[in-house]
Amino acid sequence: MKHSLIVLIISGLFGGMPALAQSPQQDGVKVGGMSPMRIFAPTGALEKQAALQYAQTLQLAENQHALGPDNHPQVIRLRAIANRLIPYTYRWNERSRSWKWEINLLGSKQINAYCMPGGKIAFYTGILDTLKLTDDEVAIVMGHEIAHALREHGAERAGKAAVANFGVKLAEIIAGAKGYDPNLAGTVAGGVANVSMLAFSREDETEADIVGLDIAARAGYDPRAGIALWQKMGMVNKNSPPQWLSTHPAGNSRIAEIRRHLPEVMPLYARAKDVDLASLPAYRTNAGNIAPVTYP
């Protein structure tokens, strides 16, 4: 009974708020509106914090001789791909027109990349070197990371964390008023909130995958590269945690989701390449043990 009461409190805080309306999309992928939780963490403030943190990261990398110079081939490559993607971000978030976009390469073995609020992009050499990414695969990764910023997932997560903390305190107060142990109530509520936050994070990751596919396809990059990308990732992340305990969906789930949305994005890709959809050849990555990806 006690646990049921606490779960209802937390669920009520996270649920019941409709998503904000999304600008109509005439073609491509369809996702819901951006989360109203963003109102608890103003995006403008996050963008300023991100710009400061990004500058500090670049300065540290430069001090450690780990910042890719402007004439580095991979830096030139990353910026060229970004320049093709950026014009297709505006339909997802008009504010991105005024962002001061930056794209940099950091020397690290980490298999990682990110885009902070305001368009601050960083790729680690580890993701390029370990996965041997093709341009199409880089575009899929970059589109995914850009989508997080466009959909303001940082503000959304900050808002959800604030609400979760409030929910834990509220559960303790209500439990105490009803004669239950407030500490136990707080522990249970905290656990429920944590699992809820993981689920929300997985939803954000899936949304970023979908929006990123749309952006990459419009820029002329093959969306099927996302399937090969996650097959590569599966080869290097064999010891990843179970999907339900991870902030990222499992690789097989992401591949299935990408396949489900190919009918929406492949026409965009064919149009960008100015070819008939039926005449597109299979996508072939540079790993011999990964089969060509066909459509349909």
Side-chain angles (χ1 to χ4, degrees), residues 128-190:
L128 298 174
D129 297 340
T130 303
L131 300 182
K132 303 292 189 294
L133 298 180
T134 66
D135 285 359
D136 292 282
E137 291 157 12
V138 168
I140 296 297
V141 173
M142 193 179 293
H144 168 94
E145 299 302 335
I146 287 174
H148 278 308
L150 295 174
R151 300 292 288 175
E152 299 180 11
H153 287 161
E156 176 187 347
R157 291 178 185 180
K160 287 174 180 174
V163 171
N165 290 334
F166 173 76
V168 170
K169 296 297 182 184
L170 181 60
E172 292 175 346
I173 292 172
I174 293 176
K178 290 183 175 293
Y180 300 129
D181 181 357
N183 293 327
L184 175 61
T187 299
V188 174

Side-chain angles (χ1 to χ4, degrees), residues 10 19 25 34 47 66 84 100 116 173 203 213 223 244 257 287:
I10 298 296
Q25 301 291 323
M34 289 193 283
E47 290 178 5
R84 283 177 56 178
K100 293 180 173 58
M116 303 175 81
I173 292 172
E203 290 172 4
L213 284 180
W244 61 89
E257 192 70 18

Side-chain angles (χ1 to χ4, degrees), residues 10-277:
I10 298 296
S11 299
L13 287 168
F14 280 112
M17 296 181 68
L20 301 181
Q22 175 194 336
S23 300
Q25 301 291 323
Q26 300 302 318
D27 55 12
V29 303
K30 309 294 190 297
V31 297
M34 289 193 283
S35 171
M37 291 290 180
R38 297 177 302 123
I39 65 175
F40 297 105
T43 302
L46 283 184
E47 290 178 5
K48 291 179 181 177
Q49 293 172 11
L52 177 60
Q53 184 179 344
Y54 188 77
Q56 292 172 342
T57 298
L58 297 186
Q59 184 61 58
L60 178 62
E62 187 171 22
N63 293 343
Q64 297 175 343
H65 306 289
L67 179 65
D70 291 340
N71 62 353
H72 191 290
Q74 291 284 31
V75 173
I76 294 171
R77 177 194 183 204
L78 291 172
R79 290 175 180 173
I81 293 171
N83 287 337
R84 283 177 56 178
L85 297 180
I86 289 170
Y88 298 99
T89 66
Y90 309 147
R91 70 197 327 264
W92 290 102
N93 190 327
E94 188 67 23
R95 297 180 63 255
S96 67
R97 290 181 182 273
S98 62
W99 287 354
K100 293 180 173 58
W101 293 87
E102 292 185 60
I103 302 91
N104 285 285
L105 177 67
L106 305 178
S108 169
K109 293 182 179 180
Q110 291 187 56
I111 301 176
N112 198 17
Y114 60 80
C115 178
M116 303 175 81
K120 308 302 185 185
I121 301 172
F123 266 69
Y124 291 80
T125 54
I127 194 170
L128 298 174
D129 297 340
T130 303
L131 300 182
K132 303 292 189 294
L133 298 180
T134 66
D135 285 359
D136 292 282
E137 291 157 12
V138 168
I140 296 297
V141 173
M142 193 179 293
H144 168 94
E145 299 302 335
I146 287 174
H148 278 308
L150 295 174
R151 300 292 288 175
E152 299 180 11
H153 287 161
E156 176 187 347
R157 291 178 185 180
K160 287 174 180 174
V163 171
N165 290 334
F166 173 76
V168 170
K169 296 297 182 184
L170 181 60
E172 292 175 346
I173 292 172
I174 293 176
K178 290 183 175 293
Y180 300 129
D181 181 357
N183 293 327
L184 175 61
T187 299
V188 174
V192 172
N194 183 55
V195 172
S196 298
M197 290 297 290
L198 287 175
F200 280 123
S201 295
R202 289 195 296 271
E203 290 172 4
D204 289 347
E205 291 296 329
T206 298
E207 183 177 272
D209 280 347
I210 296 168
V211 173
L213 284 180
D214 185 287
I215 295 170
R218 292 179 192 277
Y221 292 105
D222 196 328
R224 295 170 295 182
I227 295 172
L229 167 68
W230 283 104
Q231 289 174 326
K232 286 183 175 182
M233 286 289 286
M235 295 175 185
V236 298
N237 286 330
K238 294 180 180 179
N239 296 320
S240 58
Q243 177 172 344
W244 61 89
L245 292 179
S246 171
T247 58
H248 290 63
N252 289 339
S253 297
R254 300 182 93 144
I255 289 173
E257 192 70 18
I258 290 171
R259 288 191 184 279
R260 191 167 73 84
H261 288 278
L262 286 182
E264 297 168 335
V265 294
M266 287 302 291
L268 303 177
Y269 173 57
R271 187 172 68 196
K273 303 297 286 185
D274 195 24
V275 299
D276 183 71
L277 180 59

